[in-house]
Amino acid sequence: MKVTAIANSNIALVKYWGKRNEELNLPFNNSISFTMDDQLQTVTTVEFDEKLKKDKVILDGVEANERESARAVKFLDVIRKMAKIKLNAIVVSKNSFPKSAGLASSASGFAALAAAASKAAGLNLTPRELSMLARIGSGSACRSVFGGAVEWRAGKKRDGSDSYAFQLSPPEDWRDLRNVIAIVSEDEKKVSSMEGMKRVKNSALFSCRLKTINERLRVIRNAIKTHNFAEMANAIMQESNNLHAVMLDSWPPVSYLSDVSLEIIKKVIELNESFAEPVAAYTFDAGPNAHIYTTLKHCNEIVKILKDINGVKRIIVCGIGEGIRFSDKHLF
Amino acid sequence: MKVTAIANSNIALVKYWGKRNEELNLPFNNSISFTMDDQLQTVTTVEFDEKLKKDKVILDGVEANERESARAVKFLDVIRKMAKIKLNAIVVSKNSFPKSAGLASSASGFAALAAAASKAAGLNLTPRELSMLARIGSGSACRSVFGGAVEWRAGKKRDGSDSYAFQLSPPEDWRDLRNVIAIVSEDEKKVSSMEGMKRVKNSALFSCRLKTINERLRVIRNAIKTHNFAEMANAIMQESNNLHAVMLDSWPPVSYLSDVSLEIIKKVIELNESFAEPVAAYTFDAGPNAHIYTTLKHCNEIVKILKDINGVKRIIVCGIGEGIRFSDKHLF
């Protein structure tokens, strides 16, 4: 059976960084994200076929490189084991945005692959089971299973059976919210997230981050519950700073923020200072590209500010989107 | 009586950042520095004169601006109170390097002013008393009273009477050591140290920095005692990263490292990786300029690496220098 699934990327307000279990992608802390609209999307078609001698993976029209292919095959092995099948698969996947540019393509990628491949293998997973499966492919993919505001519960169990995402608030509650993305660089990351998450364990500051992150989660969770943007804005920016601080304190140091990123930070803070309450909140993943959460009302102003910053290459205005869907339009 | 004092700048291996008392410049943690050679020097002549209607301060040939002048007058008031005099003073001061460029001009500046003004006021202070006095002018100035390797004891008392610097190792023990300074920017700091040190108190990570800094002090102190450069190199770099991490985690965030600074960090780490043991250690104060501690043997190699980095404007190779001296060559 050929199955096609669609998943959107998500951009975290409270970040996933550091694994208590590297094999199962079990995090140290809960994280919270919004799922993006269809501009940041992966569509993936999977078919298991007894005629195939090995798995075949096509990403954006070209055969996957060795590293990508190995990662996909390893993930398919997990699904084959669950479904008790031994067939090889063909996977064809298309991103609506460049890979590895800090736009969380592995989140949408593994969410779509988890959904398409598990169904194609004959599994009928609940959303929670699908979230746990996607997590094994790429941690943050577990959040892309759901739309709107999503929390990933870190869990405590060693087998990861209590580490999954759930929806905090559906996308229709956030019609006004926007993520204004400033693309500063489309190059591959200097240090992979996988490597960076290993290094953070040696940061002398990481334990302090974990001690204070629950309070930040509480503030943001409450603000989401009451749809209060201003209340969560400072917490979002402070969380991003805190993340990049522990990255810098890792050894060897990891630094993703560029001069352009710092200029964007400065401009957002100045914009907020010019209002009585914060109207925008920047957040940076493992890269220099800025994600500026704001409301529709201030969107044009922020686009204008970003356009005036030297080094901002492209601007994408993203709304809040849906979780995983299936489609009849197969890619092959 | 006209008195002229000479003091050199110092560049810390373990940094002073955050004050438990802002009036007296009492720090949260001990810090360790090397005093630089005469290339980073301040010469200051002071005379108290009953004919003066108010204090007059000349810095590098021009009358001090309002902010600089107010700071000097406030410091002279401390000395007048100690010496029980009411005379106004003329202060003429010359730096051998640009002010506010992250080359610690306030350290040499207030060390020289403390020495010249206290002696001109008729006080005969011990080096320890002079260190405490200089500290009130600018915290890190207390370390410039001594040459070679110097530690500033944070102290615990509220009146600051146990917060002073002392020499760990004289300059002649460090004939081989060099600080290769890469000037990246000679602009004034974006955020003053005074303001940055206030903000760091709200960093969620600052308490973790303080908890782990004693171990770093111990490693560096021991390495200084045994003259083992390789042993202190990683601790120096990690301390610099740790400092800039808590700066970034302050609110609003403080970031002094530029793209050029990050490139220098990368090159130093690569250089060390190419040897069996670390041969160079970068450290950054409140600015983008790099201080690369190394030994004479590797000095030319580091200069060559820095020259190839786009954005490095000037390179100064500095040795280890003396503490405070007096001179008969007055500036007026």
Side-chain angles (χ1 to χ4, degrees), chain A residues 212-227:
Chain A
T212 49
I213 208 162
N214 285 329
E215 173 56 18
R216 224 157 247 166
L217 282 158
R218 197 191 59 76
V219 168
I220 291 178
R221 207 184 283 122
N222 279 350
I224 286 173
K225 211 173 278 174
T226 55
H227 298 93

Side-chain angles (χ1 to χ4, degrees), chain A residues 7-23:
Chain A
N8 295 5
S9 181
N10 69 78
I11 300 298
L13 316 177
V14 178
K15 309 287 187 182
Y16 156 53
W17 196 255
K19 308 180 186 186
R20 62 183 168 92
N21 179 318
E22 284 175 20
E23 192 59 34

Side-chain angles (χ1 to χ4, degrees), chain A residues 14-204:
Chain A
V14 178
K15 309 287 187 182
Y16 156 53
W17 196 255
K19 308 180 186 186
R20 62 183 168 92
N21 179 318
E22 284 175 20
E23 192 59 34
L24 295 172
N25 290 333
L26 301 178
F28 284 102
N29 58 275
N30 286 25
S31 51
I32 295 178
S33 58
F34 281 107
T35 300
M36 295 295 102
D37 72 19
D38 296 352
Q39 291 175 91
L40 301 192
Q41 185 168 81
T42 304
V43 182
T44 299
T45 303
V46 177
E47 187 174 31
F48 288 92
D49 187 341
E50 57 190 5
K51 281 172 279 175
L52 291 165
K53 291 207 175 111
K54 56 174 198 157
D55 293 322
K56 190 175 176 167
V57 183
I58 312 284
L59 301 179
D60 291 326
V62 294
E63 194 132 0
N65 66 35
E66 213 169 309
R67 189 175 50 80
E68 292 164 335
S69 185
R71 202 171 162 193
V73 168
K74 201 177 155 198
F75 186 61
L76 289 167
D77 286 342
V78 173
I79 293 169
R80 278 186 281 257
K81 202 177 162 190
M82 283 171 75
K84 299 188 176 88
I85 61 171
K86 300 219 161 178
L87 304 174
N88 288 314
I90 177 161
V91 174
V92 177
S93 192
K94 261 180 72 174
N95 285 301
S96 61
F97 57 95
K99 283 181 298 174
S100 300
L103 294 180
S105 65
S106 74
S108 54
F110 277 95
L113 180 58
S118 63
K119 197 169 178 188
L123 292 167
N124 189 15
L125 303 181
T126 65
R128 176 174 295 182
E129 287 166 339
L130 192 53
S131 175
M132 282 193 278
L133 175 61
R135 188 205 71 219
I136 293 170
S138 174
S140 56
C142 77
R143 293 187 308 242
S144 275
V145 169
F146 303 95
V150 179
E151 179 159 355
W152 173 10
R153 189 175 186 260
K156 288 184 175 170
K157 292 190 185 163
R158 292 185 67 176
D159 66 356
S161 60
D162 57 351
S163 185
Y164 48 79
F166 55 94
Q167 190 178 64
L168 288 173
S169 168
E172 52 270 25
D173 285 5
W174 294 95
R175 292 265 172 261
D176 254 20
L177 196 69
R178 293 293 180 277
N179 174 6
V180 184
I181 306 172
I183 306 283
V184 171
S185 164
E186 296 187 320
D187 298 342
E188 287 241 4
K189 291 170 198 173
K190 296 174 290 178
V191 177
S192 72
S193 298
M194 212 176 283
E195 171 61 22
M197 287 198 201
K198 279 181 193 170
R199 288 189 201 172
V200 81
K201 289 187 187 182
N202 70 30
S203 160

Side-chain angles (χ1 to χ4, degrees), chain B residues 206-222:
Chain B
F206 189 51
S207 65
C208 249
R209 167 168 167 77
L210 294 181
K211 249 180 239 161
T212 50
I213 208 164
N214 286 328
E215 173 58 18
R216 226 158 247 167
L217 283 159
R218 198 191 58 75
V219 168
I220 291 178
R221 208 184 283 124
N222 281 349

Side-chain angles (χ1 to χ4, degrees), chain B residues 1 14 29 39 59 79 101 108 113 120-121 130 181 188 192 216 220-221 227 241 259 264 284 299 327:
Chain B
M1 187 174 60
V14 178
N29 58 274
Q39 292 174 91
L59 301 179
I79 293 170
S108 54
L113 180 57
L130 192 53
I181 307 172
E188 287 240 6
S192 73
R216 226 158 247 167
I220 291 178
R221 208 184 283 124
H227 299 93
N241 297 341
D259 286 350
I264 293 171
F284 294 82
C299 205
S327 166

